[in-house]
Amino acid sequence: MSKIEIRNLVKRYGQATALNKVSLTIESGEFLVLLGPSGCGKTTLLRCLAGLETPDEGEIVIDDHIVYSSEKKVLVPPGKRNLGMVFQSYALWPHMTVRDNVKFGLDVLHTPKDVSNQRIDQVLADIGLAHLDERYPSELSGGQQQRVALARLLTTKPPVFLMDEPLSNLDARLRMDMRVELKRIQGETGATTVYVTHDQTEAMTMSTRVVVMKDGDIQQVSPPGLVYRQPENVFVAEFIGMPLINLTELEHVDGSLFSNGDITLNLGWQPDVAKIVVGARPEDLKLGPARKDSAEFTVTALLPNGPETIVQMTRGTTVLVARLGHETGLETGQTIHVSFETEALNVYDASTGAMVRRPRTQGLPSLTKSIAPATGRNRNELVGT
Ligand code: ATP
């Protein structure tokens, strides 16, 4: 187990800044996932940690040992950082069998033969490759090769795992199995893990914390539930979650009332800005009979998807998307009444995109507290039309 500290890390490629003074503390035993759109700097950060890329400024400390410091002129090579890495390109030896490829990592560490054999058998069985141990890489599928690379990392039991999209070549079923297996092995070994992925489900299901990045900057570092329920800004709100969060711009009318002409919302508290964006997850819309806090919308699309149905609704120029159960009883063109689950709303300053926090003095629950994800059936149940 190892603690990693990244301080003010900068990496430039010519004029482009891939990492812009990134600071982050990764606790011992954490499963930290780096998430963000293509080009945001995830891989660059991982490669800087691994020592495969030399930053331009900043400091990286692993367990109180400085492995990189621009100021102190320290640059520890990758092999001396005591890290295990798996990258998207598996880099297997083509002339070695699966077993020998996996054994290679252990041989480098001079692991005794009996220990080595036992670990190889165990890991190959864990990741479902035991029956292929005498094959050569050219006789394996991309997904199988990816698992061999993973096995090579896992058998060496490094205190830090660095993984860049290690499951990207697996089909959906295998990916799911491997997530469970990786999480189990990581939990058992207690290895501090930094994991890059594009896949939100992977990030949300495997991580202890998610780091959302954009243009070389960190936007939010939070446990996955909090990233979903309380995105710190409009970018994170929009980036996380499918279907997308409903973001509606409203102007201050009076007191705690905000409106865009189509809908008027009583927030119950008054943000100190003239224009806000309210973020409502699709499961935080309430559909049902007319109430004093509801507005009439027209159903414009119904998208059934297994256990749920995504409902798109329109009123004037306001478009909202709700997530309901599989039997909605709704029809396109139908009129419905919509209200917000106001306690679950997030409010952002429309000019900066930053979250506006509800003052504690107004006696309402603080937004810094975690709000449990909406799971109850009644939360978005259609209560009549
Ligand atoms: P992806 O999800 O597509 O892999 P990423 O978030 O991992 O993207 P990086 O690969 O870290 O992004 O790239 C960050 C930025 O740095 C991008 O703008 C990229 O074009 C640039 N970049 C990365 N490596 C190099 C390089 N070797 N030379 C020049 N620019 C680079």
Side-chain angles (χ1 to χ4, degrees), residues 5 13 19 70 78 84-85 90 107 111 117 151 153-154 215 248 270 275 279 331 354-355 360 381-382 384:
E5 294 210 48
Y13 294 105
L19 297 176
S70 52
M85 316 167 216
Y90 344 107
D107 288 347
T111 312
N117 280 333
L153 165 73
L154 298 176
D215 298 337
T248 311
Q270 192 178 335
K275 251 190 200 174
E331 283 174 22
M355 182 187 267
R360 286 166 186 269
E381 208 166 66
L382 190 68

Side-chain angles (χ1 to χ4, degrees), residues 66-356:
I66 298 176
V67 295
Y68 168 74
S69 170
S70 52
E71 204 174 292
K72 300 185 177 102
K73 307 257 179 288
V74 177
L75 182 62
V76 176
K80 297 236 160 76
R81 294 192 182 191
N82 203 11
L83 313 161
M85 316 167 216
V86 180
F87 290 91
Q88 243 172 320
S89 54
Y90 344 107
L92 301 179
W93 298 108
H95 62 289
M96 288 186 189
T97 62
V98 165
R99 190 172 192 87
D100 289 341
N101 260 289
V102 176
K103 190 166 163 285
F104 182 78
L106 291 163
D107 288 347
V108 170
L109 298 173
H110 307 294
T111 312
K113 204 172 165 189
D114 53 336
V115 176
S116 178
N117 280 333
Q118 196 194 350
R119 278 200 213 161
I120 295 168
D121 289 342
Q122 183 63 54
V123 170
L124 287 180
D126 284 347
I127 65 171
L129 285 180
H131 62 298
L132 300 177
D133 68 338
E134 291 309 321
R135 290 233 190 135
Y136 288 88
S138 60
E139 299 167 336
L140 300 175
S141 70
Q144 287 164 342
Q145 291 182 40
Q146 199 162 31
R147 280 185 287 156
V148 176
L150 211 49
R152 191 168 55 191
L153 165 73
L154 298 176
T155 47
T156 56
K157 296 191 175 174
V160 177
F161 291 161
L162 301 181
M163 304 191 189
D164 192 347
E165 308 243 17
L167 310 182
S168 58
N169 281 323
L170 308 187
D171 62 35
R173 173 69 206 271
L174 201 50
R175 213 175 158 113
M176 180 79 144
D177 292 348
M178 287 301 294
R179 275 182 208 149
V180 173
E181 211 39 53
L182 259 187
K183 204 170 163 176
R184 183 187 67 74
I185 293 172
Q186 191 267 344
E188 270 178 23
T189 57
T192 306
T193 302
V194 188
Y195 190 106
V196 168
T197 185
H198 275 105
D199 185 326
Q200 281 194 28
T201 314
E202 217 154 274
M204 302 307 252
T205 53
M206 296 177 79
S207 66
T208 50
R209 285 191 304 163
V210 178
V211 178
V212 183
M213 296 180 67
K214 179 192 171 212
D215 298 337
D217 283 314
I218 290 181
Q219 301 290 311
Q220 182 164 359
V221 186
S222 297
L226 217 53
V227 168
Y228 185 77
R229 293 309 318 169
Q230 294 179 9
E232 288 284 335
N233 57 40
V234 168
F235 171 79
V236 178
E238 227 171 358
F239 186 72
I240 301 285
M242 192 52 70
L244 297 183
I245 193 167
N246 295 290
L247 292 171
T248 311
E249 193 170 307
L250 303 171
E251 281 188 45
H252 186 229
V253 179
D254 186 32
S256 56
L257 291 184
F258 285 79
S259 176
N260 66 356
D262 295 328
I263 56 171
T264 300
L265 186 67
N266 186 351
L267 277 181
W269 61 288
Q270 192 178 335
D272 195 16
V273 287
K275 251 190 200 174
I276 60 171
V277 173
V278 288
R281 293 286 175 199
E283 57 275 22
D284 294 330
L285 300 186
K286 292 185 284 188
L287 279 60
R291 344 183 320 176
K292 71 176 186 339
D293 64 348
S294 66
E296 206 172 89
F297 276 72
T298 304
V299 175
T300 41
L302 289 165
L303 305 170
N305 180 26
E308 64 180 24
T309 301
I310 306 306
V311 184
Q312 188 198 58
M313 303 156 297
T314 307
R315 177 184 172 91
T317 56
T318 305
V319 179
L320 295 175
V321 168
R323 176 187 271 137
L324 300 182
H326 71 292
E327 288 291 344
T328 63
L330 293 173
E331 283 174 22
T332 309
Q334 180 179 343
T335 299
I336 44 168
H337 300 273
V338 182
S339 55
F340 288 117
E341 186 83 62
T342 42
E343 285 306 295
L345 289 183
N346 289 304
V347 178
Y348 302 97
D349 180 338
S351 60
T352 63
M355 182 187 267
V356 185

Side-chain angles (χ1 to χ4, degrees), residues 13 16-18 36-45 53 88 165 196 198:
Y13 294 105
T17 303
S38 188
C40 69
K42 306 178 293 289
T43 296
T44 304
L45 183 55
E53 210 70 67
Q88 243 172 320
E165 308 243 17
V196 168
H198 275 105

